[in-house]
Amino acid sequence: MMMMNDMLAQLGPTFTTILFLWAGYQQFLPAQVRETIRHFLTRHAEKLVILFSPYLTITFEEYTGERFNRSELYSSIETYLSESSLMKARRLKASTVKDGKSLVLSIAENEEITDEYKGAKVWWSSNRTFSKSHTISIYPGTDEKRFYRLTFHRKNRDLITSSYLNYVMEQGKAIAVRHRQRKLFTNTRDFNWYSSKWTMWSHVEFKHPGRFETLAMDPTKKQQIIDDLMRFRNAKDFYDKIGKAWKRGYLLYGPPGTGKSTMIAAMANLLEYDVYDLELTAVKDNIQLRRLLIETTSKSIIVIEDIDCSVDLTGQRKKKKDKDDTKGEEDPLKKKLKEDDEQKGSHVTLSGLLNVIDGIWSSCGEERLIIFTTNFIEKLDPALIRRGRMDMHIEMSYCGFEAFKVLAKNYLDLDSHDLFPTIKRLLEETNMIPADVAENLMPKSSNVDVNVCLENLVKELEKAKEDAKLKAEEERKLKEKEAEEERKLKEKEAEEEKKLKEKEVEAKKAIDAEVAKEKKTSDDELKGKEENKDGESEKN
């Protein structure tokens, strides 16, 4: 206690001296001199702190080179810190990610939080400065500058600059993707002024509820598709290793009403991808097709539905030939209208489409699915659907019993019922698309009567079975009739051919007889001349 009192007694005169000097400094030195001294001490003090401090700092500004565009790195940092700051920061601010579906919370100005990466501790702080200029600028970020400051120990310099910043960038992009509102795009015939730039795509919010859990399909086949999609999503390093563009093609084929569009929605919801519905009939030519591809983003699905009837991908030469053949047969007005119609139509070729899905242009972007759908796979050019272009062929067939059980669970919340064996037998004996099965399972009133719904389905299946029998019988009779007509036609043709041959034989005989007769007449005339000649010789 005595030592403490002695120490305070010694410090008293020192404090008094400091206060005296400070009062003299404030009273006798001009303000300009004091300001110069303050700037000098501040500048050199900062240099001394930087010189002896073991910590380094990196600043990330909101607006950099492109003054109208927000820094992508700044946005990624803001999004990354939005998750790590929720439990650490005392003061938060709310914002939204571009095209986001929810609020994003991040640290407020002058707030600092701690982060850790591979054992290295770092400190993030959000800062803001104001311009001293009184001019008004049209560029954002000129009057007010926001930036993040990253502080870390100098011994972790290589780890932070070479690894941690890339990690923050990737994580920020991934979080932004999870928080973004997914979209359904469709192409337009011409350019539109949309979203502050010229674009060939317009979009709406993608809200399709289709999921694999509710998709009417055999569970084993469904799981194979899910596994394939998940392998693709996590295969960036694999595609880099084998030197191929990070894309995959799927061909969905089968009768109408078998769930091809629902399958696409389920894929998009599983992977959280945007969907680009490409209407080929609205694409002018191959150049416009490439422009459309360039404007698509990564993590997306490009869909061409009913590709067998979208455009005639192999008939351009035929059209040109037909046009040449009919030249001069139409009046000028009709000819002009026809030419204008052809010019407005799509001139996309098979070669152009192949180049987009599997050529050099297919490498524009990454993590992208290309899906074709068709009702008639046999109509497609083999070059279009070979492996490597359409990597996985998925048949969307008629409803089987396993698919029915999914629908029964969806519509009636049933796992079993006494009518299930009957329905299983009928589904094996007849073909019914899942859409028709679902329609019969759909409750027709607010009071759901499971028995009525299942009985209606049984009736429809039995009716479909009888209709199929009648149709098969009609087809059999038609085939027999066609076979009989073909047999009669062949017999008639054979009879006519026989008669023709007989006529040919008779004609040949008549010709031979005429030739023989003419020859005999000629021989008789020649003989008569010789006899007359001999008689005259004897007289002489």
Side-chain angles (χ1 to χ4, degrees), residues 193-403:
W193 183 257
Y194 181 79
S195 186
S196 304
K197 66 177 182 177
W198 290 103
T199 180
M200 300 181 71
W201 294 98
S202 58
H203 71 265
V204 295
E205 187 177 343
F206 183 75
K207 289 185 175 180
H208 198 292
R211 307 187 311 277
F212 275 101
E213 293 83 0
T214 59
L215 187 64
M217 178 181 280
D218 181 83
T220 303
K221 186 175 181 180
K222 189 189 302 185
Q223 190 59 46
Q224 290 175 353
I225 298 170
I226 293 173
D227 292 342
D228 188 80
L229 291 169
M230 299 308 293
R231 278 196 302 270
F232 169 79
R233 187 171 69 174
N234 301 318
K236 176 177 173 58
D237 294 338
F238 173 75
Y239 278 89
D240 287 341
K241 176 183 176 183
I242 63 177
K244 289 185 65 177
W246 189 11
K247 67 174 185 61
R248 189 160 178 80
Y250 292 86
L251 175 66
L252 310 182
Y253 66 96
T258 52
K260 294 185 285 294
S261 297
T262 306
M263 169 66 78
I264 295 170
M267 289 179 170
N269 287 329
L270 175 69
L271 300 175
E272 295 185 334
Y273 285 1
D274 292 328
V275 178
Y276 288 85
D277 184 12
L278 179 58
E279 179 56 55
L280 284 180
T281 56
V283 182
K284 183 179 178 181
D285 51 30
N286 294 337
I287 295 176
Q288 194 175 81
L289 182 62
R290 288 196 289 269
R291 287 175 180 169
L292 284 164
L293 178 70
I294 291 172
E295 287 195 18
T296 60
T297 61
S298 299
K299 295 183 180 294
S300 62
I301 300 175
I302 300 174
V303 179
I304 304 179
E305 292 197 275
D306 297 322
I307 191 170
D308 54 292
C309 54
S310 292
V311 292
D312 185 2
L313 296 174
T314 58
Q316 281 79 14
R317 294 182 182 179
K318 185 174 182 288
K319 286 181 180 178
K320 185 176 180 181
K321 183 179 178 181
D322 293 343
K323 182 179 177 182
D324 294 338
D325 291 342
T326 57
K327 188 180 293 184
E329 295 180 3
E330 300 176 346
D331 61 72
L333 180 59
K334 289 184 177 179
K335 183 178 179 181
K336 178 64 177 173
L337 290 173
K338 184 176 180 180
E339 289 177 353
D340 291 343
D341 200 37
E342 288 179 354
Q343 288 179 358
K344 291 179 182 179
S346 176
H347 295 279
V348 175
T349 64
L350 178 62
S351 174
L353 184 59
L354 294 180
N355 191 27
V356 163
I357 65 174
D358 192 38
I360 271 187
W361 288 94
S362 66
S363 60
C364 297
E366 56 184 14
E367 196 172 354
R368 180 183 285 144
L369 300 183
I370 300 175
I371 300 178
F372 293 163
T373 72
T374 179
N375 297 332
F376 307 99
I377 189 174
E378 65 277 0
K379 290 185 179 180
L380 299 181
D381 192 306
L384 187 64
I385 60 174
R386 69 163 175 80
R387 305 293 177 174
R389 288 177 178 145
M390 292 294 104
D391 303 283
M392 190 173 188
H393 295 189
I394 303 173
E395 182 180 7
M396 308 296 291
S397 188
Y398 294 102
C399 187
F401 183 65
E402 294 298 328

Side-chain angles (χ1 to χ4, degrees), residues 464-476:
K465 181 179 177 181
E466 291 300 320
D467 291 343
K469 285 182 179 179
L470 293 175
K471 185 177 180 180
E473 184 65 21
E474 290 176 359
E475 289 178 353
R476 184 186 64 79

Side-chain angles (χ1 to χ4, degrees), residues 5-72:
N5 292 334
D6 293 341
M7 186 179 297
L8 291 175
Q10 292 176 1
L11 289 176
T14 305
F15 286 138
T16 303
T17 304
I18 292 173
L19 290 174
F20 176 77
L21 292 174
W22 177 252
Y25 170 80
Q26 293 286 345
Q27 184 174 0
F28 297 107
L29 289 179
Q32 186 176 0
V33 175
R34 293 200 308 270
E35 186 69 17
T36 303
I37 295 174
R38 188 180 68 80
H39 279 298
F40 176 81
L41 293 176
T42 302
R43 185 169 64 252
H44 286 79
E46 288 180 355
K47 289 182 178 180
L48 288 173
V49 170
I50 293 173
L51 181 63
F52 293 103
S53 173
Y55 293 96
L56 304 177
T57 61
I58 302 177
T59 301
F60 305 92
E61 296 183 353
E62 184 177 13
Y63 294 94
T64 53
E66 299 181 1
R67 303 179 74 179
F68 276 117
N69 295 328
R70 202 170 189 234
S71 168
E72 184 179 353

